Amino acid sequence: MQQNGSASPGCLEGGDRERPSLSFSQLPVATSTRVRRFIQERRSLPLPRVMVVFSSAGDSDKPPPGNAMISSDGGAEGSARKAAPASPGPSLSLTKPLRSSVGGQEQEFPEILSLNVGGTYFTTRLSTLQRYDDTMLAAMFSGRYHIPQDAEGRYFIDRDGQYFGDVLNFLREGELPPRERVRAVHREAQYYSIGPLLEQLEDSQPLTGEKVRQAFLDLLPYYRDNLERIVEIAKLRAMQKKARFAKLKICVYKEEMPITPYERPLFNSLRFERSDSEAKLFEHHCEVDVSFGPWEAVADVYDLLHCIVSDLAERGISAEQQCIGVCDKHLINHYYCKRPIYEFKITWW
């Protein structure tokens, strides 16, 4: 290395370290010729292309500065560029998740809240609405969602507020509604996804009784279809006759096979076994509008009649029924169908 400070032909510009000597005899002819040319022109040898990018949290989406790249190629521009100093911040993107609040800001609520539920006003604590984490009310007032306010500043919930007080009473102290309000409050609990309230309501009357009743009706998979058929036939007949009511004949029987008085002394039972060939002789359809049966359960014919009348009443349809006799259709020899026939009177107004 020369003592006057001038760089030797084998050194890079801007450096003060001596480059190890090259043995041109070990290089191919084309390569050694290229190296000699660079040394004679006092230029640095081409370096591999390197990309170094520095970014901070606030500049994660900005392109890297132009002087943050060190490059060299085999063309005329072979001089090395100095890299810009690295930014002090970490190279992380701290982007917040999208939220439904306005402007990305979480909505803050006071501890005492005034609510407007479909025009009915309530006042409660924020902690009451957040009592159960996995409910709709807890999510609504968590701050993640924007809740609109009315002109008086009350937080508005677009829902009928008639039974919201029963929901609040349960959230406050676990109080259940009276029996006549259980079904309606159960619908509200389903809407607000309040699991503990749903469980307690379903274990109380009348919902418990409804479960037992439905277990019986599941034995008659056609029950709902027959109920719709009763309504349609009654409506059509009333419209055709321009009448206030309509009458239908409905057969309701529990036993598997029809019976006659002649069978009772022989078998001493209402249920007995017949061969397949004999059973086909008794297959028939009673001349009625709708037929229910048979089924195997403790519940009898009168229980099913009660279900039919009460389900029609749930739909606002008034229905009365009375037994008008039996089918009495001749089957074979001295066998006659003794399935009971009921007359239903459907009143429309």
Side-chain angles (χ1 to χ4, degrees):
M1 187 173 183
Q2 298 181 4
Q3 301 296 328
N4 58 1
S6 61
S8 64
C11 297
L12 290 173
E13 292 183 2
D16 54 359
R17 292 182 297 178
E18 185 177 2
R19 179 183 294 275
S21 61
L22 298 174
S23 176
F24 299 130
S25 62
Q26 300 177 358
L27 300 175
V29 176
T31 304
S32 61
T33 303
R34 184 180 177 189
V35 171
R36 287 192 182 93
R37 186 174 70 251
F38 273 84
I39 293 176
Q40 292 173 0
E41 295 177 0
R42 301 175 62 83
R43 291 191 298 174
S44 61
L45 292 174
L47 300 177
R49 185 179 299 272
V50 179
M51 176 75 72
V52 181
V53 179
F54 301 93
S55 64
S56 62
D59 300 331
S60 59
D61 296 334
K62 297 180 181 179
N67 59 353
M69 179 176 67
I70 301 176
S71 65
S72 63
D73 51 22
E77 296 180 3
S79 60
R81 298 181 181 178
K82 295 183 180 180
S87 303
S91 180
L92 296 175
S93 178
L94 303 178
T95 306
K96 292 184 177 181
L98 295 176
R99 300 187 185 276
S100 299
S101 299
V102 177
Q105 299 291 333
E106 290 193 359
Q107 190 174 10
E108 296 183 358
F109 299 99
E111 179 57 27
I112 305 300
L113 293 173
S114 294
L115 305 177
N116 179 351
V117 184
T120 306
Y121 305 143
F122 300 92
T123 302
T124 187
R125 298 175 67 91
L126 178 62
S127 58
T128 300
L129 300 177
Q130 298 175 341
R131 180 172 298 276
Y132 300 103
D133 294 335
D134 55 349
T135 65
M136 180 186 292
L137 289 173
M140 290 172 64
F141 291 92
S142 64
R144 300 193 303 268
Y145 304 95
H146 177 70
I147 307 300
Q149 296 174 268
D150 62 11
E152 302 298 328
R154 304 182 187 92
Y155 295 99
F156 181 73
I157 300 177
D158 193 11
R159 183 76 175 174
D160 189 355
Q162 182 177 359
Y163 302 101
F164 189 75
D166 297 287
V167 174
L168 280 182
N169 288 337
F170 176 80
L171 294 176
R172 288 165 177 157
E173 51 190 10
E175 179 182 344
L176 295 178
R179 176 170 178 167
E180 61 272 11
R181 298 170 66 90
V182 165
R183 293 183 186 273
V185 176
H186 185 265
R187 289 193 294 269
E188 297 303 302
Q190 288 179 319
Y191 177 79
Y192 294 111
S193 301
I194 306 177
L197 178 55
L198 287 171
E199 292 176 2
Q200 294 194 38
L201 290 177
E202 290 172 358
D203 289 338
S204 61
Q205 286 287 62
L207 296 183
T208 300
E210 180 61 27
K211 287 184 178 180
V212 176
R213 189 182 82 108
Q214 190 59 47
F216 162 58
L217 294 179
D218 287 343
L219 299 176
L220 292 80
Y222 51 84
Y223 175 78
R224 294 296 173 186
D225 293 336
N226 280 6
L227 205 64
E228 292 294 332
R229 187 177 178 186
I230 291 174
V231 175
E232 291 299 323
I233 294 176
K235 180 173 65 175
L236 181 61
R237 288 182 181 174
M239 294 178 65
Q240 288 176 344
K241 296 181 179 180
K242 309 299 186 294
R244 179 169 168 258
F245 58 86
K247 293 182 178 180
L248 292 80
K249 289 183 178 180
I250 299 178
C251 176
V252 182
Y253 66 101
K254 178 181 177 180
E255 300 303 325
E256 180 68 23
M257 301 297 295
I259 61 172
T260 70
Y262 302 99
E263 294 172 343
R264 293 175 185 254
L266 295 177
F267 296 94
N268 195 25
S269 173
L270 299 182
R271 300 185 60 83
F272 49 89
E273 299 295 334
R274 289 193 178 100
S275 64
D276 293 339
S277 59
E278 291 176 335
K280 291 181 180 180
L281 298 176
F282 292 89
E283 290 181 356
H284 76 290
H285 296 283
C286 301
E287 295 179 358
V288 293
D289 298 302
V290 183
S291 181
F292 293 86
W295 66 86
E296 295 184 6
V298 175
D300 58 17
V301 170
Y302 298 102
D303 296 321
L304 183 58
L305 292 172
H306 180 271
C307 290
I308 297 173
V309 174
S310 59
D311 284 340
L312 291 175
E314 281 286 330
R315 304 174 59 168
I317 301 175
S318 175
E320 302 175 4
Q321 56 84 19
Q322 62 175 350
C323 183
I324 58 174
V326 295
C327 175
D328 209 25
K329 182 179 180 180
H330 180 258
L331 301 178
I332 184 175
N333 296 333
H334 55 275
Y335 289 100
Y336 293 82
C337 176
K338 297 301 178 181
R339 296 171 180 171
I341 306 298
Y342 294 85
E343 182 183 73
F344 271 68
K345 180 181 178 181
I346 308 297
T347 304
W348 291 105
W349 84 85

